[in-house]
Amino acid sequence: MTTDHDAPFFRGRRLRRTASIRDLVRETDVRPQDLIQPYFVVDTEDPSFDRPIGSMPGQSQLCVNKLEERVAAAVDMGLKSLILFGIPKTKDEFASEGFAENGIVQQAVRALKKRFPSLVVMTDVCLCEYTSHGHCGIIKDEYVQNDPTLSILSKIALSHAAAGADVVAPSDMMDGRVAAIRAGLDRAGYRELPIMSYAVKYASAFYGPFRDAAESAPQFGDRNSYQMDPSNWREGLREAAADVQEGADMLMVKPGLPYLDMIRLLRDRFDLPLAAYQVSGEYSMIKAAAGNGWIDEQRVVMESLTSIKRAGADLILTYFAEDFLKWNK
Ligand code: PBG
């Protein structure tokens, strides 16, 4: 008898006694190939444009040249995939630069795929970076119009495909966009190009820093009539089911850490690969606290990424992807 009383109890500490035993029973790992680094690329004549984003320490708006340099360093460290957001020279009501053959994302995709053929280059498909009003769709009577937006989304996706994108990722939250994009791609012969849909995307205040980074804040109103109410989970299941039915190849939950329940629900109910987006506000909160010396940045990042994977995500879009590769080199 090793105890001074007889009641049996569970000795969970046996498997936590040494680092080697803990390694042996670890259930979740974050692998370099699980991470997708987002980049912001700017249409500019300045070949050395690299403007740090104030609200996202460590992230920059980059010209194509500087993007290539930064991606080269990341690829050297083991980066396997990235997602591009574009900041165009001009914006209009119809997001014309979003589907221009020589638009900024199209230029960046061509440059990156030429230099890094095996890198998985994903593109965010949305209108908000390209519209003068900053909304993710066409506006009429101060309301974002669903159906007229679909053909534009489809054109944007097609132009990314033509430039050589490996995956297109619609983030607009219009109804029917996966079907519209799929049909457009198939008609043009891109039958094998996958769609990763931002299926369960909440109207989140955690996107705050991103809207500075992508210069895409709505000029009036908010996104509550198309992005989801943070209170709802059953609605998220309906959104995911619709996207699966329309032909999505991968699903996404966004933001990440505040919505771990949705990641778990989708993992349990759908068999498609599942991504989670650790968004700008999640990044900036960690950076700010770490910058103040209040938390251990590396440990908090590893813990948050591990938690997102433990909840059921296969892939994580995260601004910490480069840092993760650096730390785990
Ligand atoms: C575009 C889009 C947004 C994000 C990704 N795609 C912003 C938004 O919906 O307002 C947010 C990403 C982040 O916060 O890191 N619709």
Side-chain angles (χ1 to χ4, degrees):
M1 213 29 149
T2 54
T3 54
D4 54 8
H5 61 86
D6 294 333
F9 53 86
F10 168 63
R11 287 204 184 268
R13 292 185 58 188
R14 283 183 195 127
L15 296 183
R16 297 197 288 268
R17 211 169 49 82
T18 69
S20 318
I21 293 179
R22 291 193 295 274
D23 273 352
L24 208 59
V25 298
R26 179 158 304 123
E27 300 173 30
T28 307
D29 277 309
V30 182
R31 309 172 308 164
Q33 63 267 40
D34 301 331
L35 305 181
I36 301 163
Q37 172 79 41
Y39 290 100
F40 300 99
V41 57
V42 182
D43 203 354
T44 169
E45 308 305 328
D46 177 354
S48 54
F49 188 94
D50 180 342
R51 181 195 285 160
I53 300 161
S55 55
M56 299 179 72
Q59 306 300 312
S60 287
Q61 295 180 332
L62 302 164
C63 64
V64 175
N65 247 346
K66 286 284 169 186
L67 172 70
E68 268 191 63
E69 274 176 30
R70 185 146 172 174
V71 170
V75 166
D76 264 353
M77 291 188 295
L79 188 75
K80 302 289 183 207
S81 62
L82 55 78
I83 184 162
L84 294 176
F85 295 92
I87 299 148
K89 273 200 183 120
T90 57
K91 303 185 185 223
D92 62 25
E93 260 181 89
F94 305 104
S96 313
E97 276 298 301
F99 51 86
E101 191 189 336
N102 214 24
I104 182 57
V105 165
Q106 294 80 353
Q107 291 176 41
V109 169
R110 282 193 292 266
L112 291 175
K113 286 305 294 183
K114 188 164 170 209
R115 181 144 168 209
F116 314 102
S118 61
L119 183 69
V120 179
V121 174
M122 306 188 178
T123 58
D124 183 85
V125 174
C126 195
L127 274 61
C128 63
E129 296 121 73
Y130 307 96
T131 49
S132 41
H133 45 71
H135 276 289
C136 305
I138 296 301
I139 303 280
K140 197 174 158 224
D141 304 326
E142 300 231 322
Y143 185 73
V144 174
Q145 304 292 313
N146 195 84
D147 296 22
T149 302
L150 297 178
S151 59
I152 297 183
L153 288 164
S154 176
K155 277 201 221 168
I156 296 176
L158 193 53
S159 70
H160 293 175
D166 295 298
V167 177
V168 291
S171 66
D172 52 283
M173 289 301 277
M174 298 302 119
D175 296 328
R177 92 270 211 205
V178 172
I181 290 171
R182 186 72 270 158
L185 291 174
D186 289 354
R187 259 198 309 274
Y190 298 101
R191 288 186 193 84
E192 309 225 325
L193 191 85
I195 299 175
M196 176 166 77
S197 92
Y198 286 66
V200 180
K201 176 172 176 180
Y202 287 93
S204 173
F206 286 95
Y207 308 151
F210 174 94
R211 292 180 188 171
D212 289 343
E215 300 175 11
S216 64
Q219 299 303 301
F220 65 90
D222 51 40
R223 303 208 200 287
N224 295 346
S225 79
Y226 42 106
Q227 298 179 351
M228 283 178 46
D229 182 341
S231 306
N232 295 353
W233 64 270
R234 293 192 305 265
E235 185 181 357
L237 295 181
R238 297 197 291 274
E239 288 290 345
D243 285 4
V244 172
Q245 209 230 327
E246 289 177 31
D249 300 282
M250 297 188 259
L251 299 175
M252 192 200 300
V253 171
K254 176 180 173 202
L257 218 48
Y259 296 90
L260 293 181
D261 57 331
M262 297 310 296
I263 298 174
R264 171 49 56 191
L265 275 170
L266 261 64
R267 163 46 61 241
D268 288 346
R269 301 207 189 188
F270 300 96
D271 292 331
L272 296 183
L274 180 61
Y277 200 141
Q278 182 179 49
V279 302
S280 55
E282 298 177 73
Y283 174 82
S284 301
M285 287 196 307
I286 293 175
K287 279 287 181 189
N292 277 299
W294 296 336
I295 57 172
D296 178 329
E297 177 172 348
Q298 193 169 332
R299 288 188 53 205
V300 167
V301 170
M302 289 308 295
E303 185 176 333
S304 64
L305 295 174
T306 302
S307 297
I308 291 170
K309 285 219 70 184
R310 190 194 62 240
D314 301 300
L315 302 169
I316 308 174
L317 296 92
T318 173
Y319 301 96
F320 287 116
E322 287 181 351
D323 289 331
F324 175 95
L325 296 169
K326 221 176 288 165
W327 297 331
N328 291 281
K329 225 172 139 57

